[in-house]
Amino acid sequence: MGRDVVKATVLPEPELEFHAGTRHIDPRHGITDYGPADAASDSPRSIRVGIVGPPKSIEGVRRWLDSCRRPIAAKPSHLSNLFFAFPGFDLSAGYRSQLVFDSRLERPIRDRELTSLASLAPDVAVRQAVDLYLAELDLLNEEPACDVVLVARPDHLPEPVRAPGQHMTSTTPDFHALLKAAALRHSRPIQMIRRSTWDPSFRDPDEQARSRQDPATSAWNLHTALYYKAGGVPWRLPRAVEDLTACFVGVSFYRPPDAADVLQTSVAQVFNQRGDGMIVRGGPARVSREDRQPHLSDEDARQLLVDSLKRYRSEHRTMPARVVLHKSSSYTPQEVDGFRAAADELALDQIDLLWIGGAASPRLFRPGAHPPLRGTLLSVDEKNHSLYTRGSVPFYSTYPGMYVPVPLAVRIVESELSPDKLCEEVLALTKMNWNQTQLDTRMPITLETARRVGNILRCAPPT
């Protein structure tokens, strides 16, 4: 009787594309050396920023952002590639862009209104804080000269309790998710900022323990998010001439607050290779008794992919030749039939179906103190794989994480491509997260964003 041979390999670190087709594996080095991917075309040269929050926070955020126009030195360390200097946010360096402020775009919330929340129950305090901020966002949305809004989060506000890497373990509402859900009706994107970002001396006793970023890293992450939300393209995935134009779709699920335990709603996050994304809310999904995972009917699966690609065509004026579908739960035969039917209906050349789960087994260990290299791929057979999207990074000369890295489970349900090629794409998509610039995000942006969007949509009123 034949036996499958377990194979281990290390995938190369994917490159990213910057200005004029230049490439680098690290976002911060690429931006500093070459500039953003859209520097020669329609990049936002000026970003008009609105700010909502307490008066002292507005003043502090403005002062900190003004200081970020100039370079910020890297954290002193022998790990010079990991802790990298911020080049300044100015027309002559880095993103080749500038932030523009206007007092008309500042909406202060009175301190006494926020202080009064301290006497309320946590859930009431969070919801009233959302109402205060939303009223100011409504007014700011009427201002034509605004590109993105910074929301200075209240200094002391109850937060949902989460165990490391897990879902909420308390009933306290999430201020971030509630406010973003309520602000979906607005045309301007919003970006949250904590006081600990712009005030290194601040310590919030109610805030869960979290590692503080050094000043240069904080500046990198916030300004990258602002640049992207203002319409910029910081970096993109390179595409070989022989590759089909591809669309990446992440399918995840969320449970609306009033839904039964067996009923969830599907959401798709659709990306092109530039990193442009759009959200498509799908139909209901039922939790199976067999595997306790949410699944779609064949018709709902077909409709979700059809709607996703119609949105893609509406946005980009073309259709992709290939669709890569990442799903957070396993595929049933009915779902496979539904996605295939959508591919046939829209005359796609190729569709790849991947199930990307949480923790994979088995795991690997290296001799010595360091975990496996990022990009390590353990193939149990042609279908089942463990991919280390976090791990030791040779370019950084260290493992930059805090916890023992856990590989992703990647199961190939249907594809004409090799497992190495598909997992290389998963690895590359972990580098398309505009909220941070370190190159070792664990989940691909397809599913990471679909999960975040689901957390927001579950707080949104039904449509």
Side-chain angles (χ1 to χ4, degrees):
M1 180 181 294
R3 246 191 301 182
D4 290 323
V5 177
V6 176
K7 183 183 74 170
T9 187
V10 178
L11 303 176
E13 184 63 54
E15 291 185 314
L16 299 170
E17 185 175 299
F18 300 91
H19 173 50
T22 52
R23 297 187 181 187
H24 202 288
I25 64 170
D26 184 88
R28 295 168 296 181
H29 289 71
I31 292 295
T32 301
D33 294 345
Y34 310 119
D38 61 349
S41 54
D42 53 352
S43 63
R45 303 290 284 172
S46 294
I47 301 173
R48 299 164 297 183
V49 179
I51 311 177
V52 177
K56 290 182 179 178
S57 293
I58 292 177
E59 180 183 349
V61 169
R62 279 281 306 267
R63 187 167 55 248
W64 181 72
L65 290 173
D66 278 335
S67 72
C68 292
R69 298 180 190 274
R70 300 178 297 278
I72 300 175
K75 173 182 176 180
S77 172
H78 68 283
L79 303 172
S80 58
N81 282 339
L82 176 60
F83 298 106
F84 195 66
F86 181 65
F89 201 81
D90 186 73
L91 291 171
S92 61
Y95 280 108
R96 280 68 166 172
S97 182
Q98 63 181 352
L99 302 182
V100 177
F101 303 102
D102 187 327
S103 59
R104 293 180 304 170
L105 303 182
E106 296 173 359
R107 302 298 310 179
I109 298 175
R110 288 174 293 189
D111 287 323
R112 67 173 180 269
E113 292 183 294
L114 293 173
T115 303
S116 67
L117 301 179
S119 61
L120 304 176
D123 60 328
V124 177
V126 170
R127 295 185 187 279
Q128 289 199 12
V130 168
D131 290 340
L132 290 172
Y133 276 75
L134 186 61
E136 301 303 329
L137 287 172
D138 286 340
L139 294 172
L140 196 53
N141 195 55
E142 298 174 3
E143 291 287 345
C146 184
D147 297 311
V148 62
V149 181
L150 270 171
V151 171
R153 192 183 190 280
D155 290 347
H156 303 282
L157 194 67
E159 297 198 65
V161 178
R162 290 180 174 86
Q166 302 196 6
H167 298 295
M168 285 187 297
T169 58
S170 73
T171 57
T172 303
D174 188 329
F175 174 79
H176 176 276
L178 281 171
L179 184 60
K180 285 214 165 185
L184 287 174
R185 63 179 186 248
H186 296 156
S187 58
R188 272 77 178 199
I190 64 176
Q191 174 66 37
M192 300 280 185
I193 182 170
R194 292 176 177 271
R195 182 171 173 179
S196 55
T197 299
W198 54 268
D199 181 1
S201 66
F202 177 70
R203 294 291 184 273
D204 184 352
D206 299 323
E207 187 178 340
Q208 298 176 58
R210 65 179 74 230
S211 60
R212 282 182 174 253
Q213 296 172 340
D214 61 278
T217 299
S218 293
W220 269 115
N221 292 341
L222 182 74
H223 287 82
T224 299
L226 291 177
Y227 186 82
Y228 173 69
K229 290 183 178 182
V233 181
W235 55 84
R236 59 170 65 101
L237 296 178
R239 175 173 166 259
V241 175
E242 65 273 13
D243 288 347
L244 297 175
T245 55
C247 166
F248 300 94
V249 181
V251 177
S252 188
F253 304 90
Y254 66 95
R255 181 180 293 115
D258 56 349
D261 287 345
V262 297
L263 190 62
Q264 298 192 24
T265 301
S266 59
V267 59
Q269 183 71 32
V270 187
F271 288 93
N272 66 0
Q273 287 170 295
R274 289 170 53 93
D276 298 327
M278 63 205 77
I279 304 163
V280 177
R281 185 159 19 184
R286 291 196 171 274
V287 176
S288 167
R289 293 181 178 178
E290 283 73 26
D291 62 6
R292 304 304 302 165
Q293 297 182 51
H295 295 291
L296 297 163
S297 68
D298 54 352
E299 174 55 27
D300 285 330
R302 184 200 67 81
Q303 193 62 55
L304 178 60
L305 187 53
V306 166
D307 290 346
S308 297
L309 292 176
K310 284 183 177 178
R311 281 288 307 279
Y312 183 98
R313 180 168 187 169
S314 175
E315 290 288 330
H316 304 299
R317 306 301 185 206
T318 185
M319 286 289 281
R322 173 180 172 239
V323 169
V324 185
L325 202 151
H326 295 164
K327 190 164 171 284
S328 62
S329 65
S330 61
Y331 289 76
T332 63
Q334 292 76 21
E335 288 173 321
V336 173
D337 289 343
F339 292 132
R340 283 176 180 162
D344 292 341
E345 180 179 335
L346 298 173
L348 297 177
D349 289 81
Q350 185 176 325
I351 183 169
D352 301 304
L353 305 179
L354 278 70
W355 168 25
I356 300 179
S361 182
R363 301 183 189 178
L364 295 175
F365 297 90
R366 288 173 66 197
H370 295 291
L373 295 170
R374 169 175 151 88
T376 299
L377 176 64
L378 182 67
S379 299
V380 178
D381 53 41
E382 283 296 309
K383 297 290 186 181
N384 297 288
H385 310 270
S386 297
L387 176 63
Y388 279 86
T389 53
R390 304 207 74 203
S392 297
V393 179
F395 183 70
Y396 291 157
S397 302
T398 190
Y399 167 54
M402 295 179 61
Y403 305 102
V404 175
V406 178
L408 291 181
V410 179
R411 180 173 298 175
I412 301 171
V413 177
E414 182 172 301
S415 179
E416 299 176 13
L417 299 181
S418 70
D420 284 14
K421 172 65 175 176
L422 294 169
C423 288
E424 284 174 6
E425 289 181 333
V426 173
L427 196 63
L429 288 166
T430 66
K431 304 172 80 163
M432 300 301 289
N433 184 350
W434 310 118
N435 289 308
Q436 70 99 34
T437 52
Q438 193 168 291
L439 59 75
D440 65 337
T441 304
R442 182 168 186 265
M443 294 295 290
I445 192 62
T446 45
L447 291 179
E448 176 64 22
T449 303
R451 180 191 62 80
R452 290 203 308 263
V453 167
N455 287 339
I456 294 170
L457 291 180
R458 70 183 301 276
C459 300
T463 56

